[in-house]
Amino acid sequence: MIPELTLPDGMRIPQLGIGFSAQLLGWRLVETATRFDITLIDLSSPWEGGRAVADALALGRVKRAGLFLLGSSAAMTNGHPSRRSEDRRDYSLDLLTMELDSLAAESSRSRWEEFGTRAKAVGAASLGLRVTGEFPLPELLEGIDEGWRPSLIRVGCGRWSADCRVADLVEQSGHVVAMTVPRHVPKTGAFGRVATDLGVSVAAVCIAWAMAKGRVVIVEPWSHDWVATARRAAALRLGPSLVAEIDLSLEG
């Protein structure tokens, strides 16, 4: 089984999940994921993840109780593909994240509180933030009531190395981190060396390393075989020495 983490609000979240890509859409991806015990489904991408989940539920391929659905604030806007008229959701999200940029903390706090009210109104059980850089989290969270604090911080700078650095900063503030592992990661550095020694892909090492660090990992598969690859990577156990080797390389 895929390990789970406990978020600050008590919610349990699977440590491995899948998103959607332009190359792989539709309800069959949701069914394939659950076949490999991957129940965390990320609906944050601009692809039709919401439609895929709705179809899988309608066809009886999966059960709502067996899924953990992660969405984003973009899904609450009319322009997002998942909100088109043919994709009306008849289910709520388990966790909804809001993306914050480099705005001043005071402005972002106001946006966050507005988002939280809207998210809970549409049935989101838990709230999270998505940051794309070194955002001043302590300043943002200052003065926010306990019930509105984010349960998960998702990092997404667009580059794996940058995501790793920001994830370290976020964890220093005591938050649970979610990261997206790309299919292709440069083979240089410790990730590449460990992958060569173990005879696996660099992406597999990234997945195993992030899970060993106690992070939630999202993968965006390009084929149904890649779902199986991600599942095998989740079972890869990196020892403390290998984790430390990779950590040290990221500090350079």
Side-chain angles (χ1 to χ4, degrees):
M1 296 294 290
I2 300 295
E4 293 184 335
L5 299 175
T6 301
L7 299 177
D9 61 1
M11 177 174 283
R12 301 280 293 175
I13 182 171
Q15 213 177 341
L16 179 67
I18 63 161
F20 293 83
S21 68
Q23 286 74 19
L24 200 60
L25 301 170
W27 62 264
R28 292 185 186 279
L29 175 58
V30 180
E31 182 184 42
T32 298
T34 57
R35 195 182 306 143
F36 287 100
D37 298 325
I38 301 176
T39 57
L40 170 56
I41 310 297
D42 177 29
L43 307 179
S44 302
S45 74
W47 313 110
E48 297 185 33
R51 178 67 176 271
V53 170
D55 288 347
L57 291 172
L59 292 170
R61 299 290 182 171
V62 297
K63 296 184 181 298
R64 176 63 184 90
L67 300 177
F68 188 103
L69 301 181
L70 173 64
S72 72
S73 56
M76 297 173 67
T77 62
N78 293 329
H80 193 277
S82 66
R83 302 302 296 170
R84 294 186 303 192
S85 59
E86 66 268 27
D87 182 29
R88 299 300 183 189
R89 289 186 181 143
D90 56 359
Y91 56 84
S92 59
L93 298 171
D94 292 291
L95 195 150
L96 191 62
T97 63
M98 175 182 176
E99 183 165 332
L100 290 181
D101 48 29
S102 58
L103 292 175
E106 185 65 35
S107 173
S108 294
R109 187 183 303 118
S110 175
R111 290 174 54 201
W112 166 253
E113 293 174 348
E114 178 184 355
F115 161 75
T117 301
R118 295 172 60 205
K120 293 191 175 184
V122 298
S126 192
L127 307 176
L129 280 174
R130 179 166 182 160
V131 295
T132 56
E134 298 180 10
F135 195 86
L137 285 175
E139 290 86 344
L140 168 65
L141 298 178
E142 183 179 356
I144 292 181
D145 292 339
E146 194 67 31
W148 294 98
R149 290 178 175 267
S151 298
L152 181 77
I153 307 294
R154 184 168 182 179
V155 298
C157 301
R159 299 188 318 280
W160 175 246
S161 58
D163 283 354
C164 292
R165 289 193 296 272
V166 174
D168 284 340
L169 293 174
V170 170
E171 284 180 334
Q172 291 174 15
S173 63
H175 290 86
V176 178
V177 173
M179 307 178 68
T180 298
V181 174
R183 185 185 179 204
H184 298 293
V185 182
K187 297 182 179 180
T188 57
F191 285 109
R193 291 195 300 273
V194 173
T196 299
D197 291 344
L198 298 179
V200 298
S201 69
V202 181
V205 174
C206 292
I207 293 171
W209 169 80
M211 292 183 67
K213 299 277 286 182
R215 297 168 180 172
V216 176
V217 179
I218 308 294
V219 297
E220 295 181 352
W222 294 71
S223 69
H224 288 272
D225 290 340
W226 177 234
V227 178
T229 299
R231 179 63 181 88
R232 288 193 296 270
L236 184 64
R237 297 292 180 259
L238 299 183
S241 61
L242 289 180
V243 173
E245 177 186 346
I246 294 173
D247 288 347
L248 185 61
S249 72
L250 292 172
E251 295 175 2

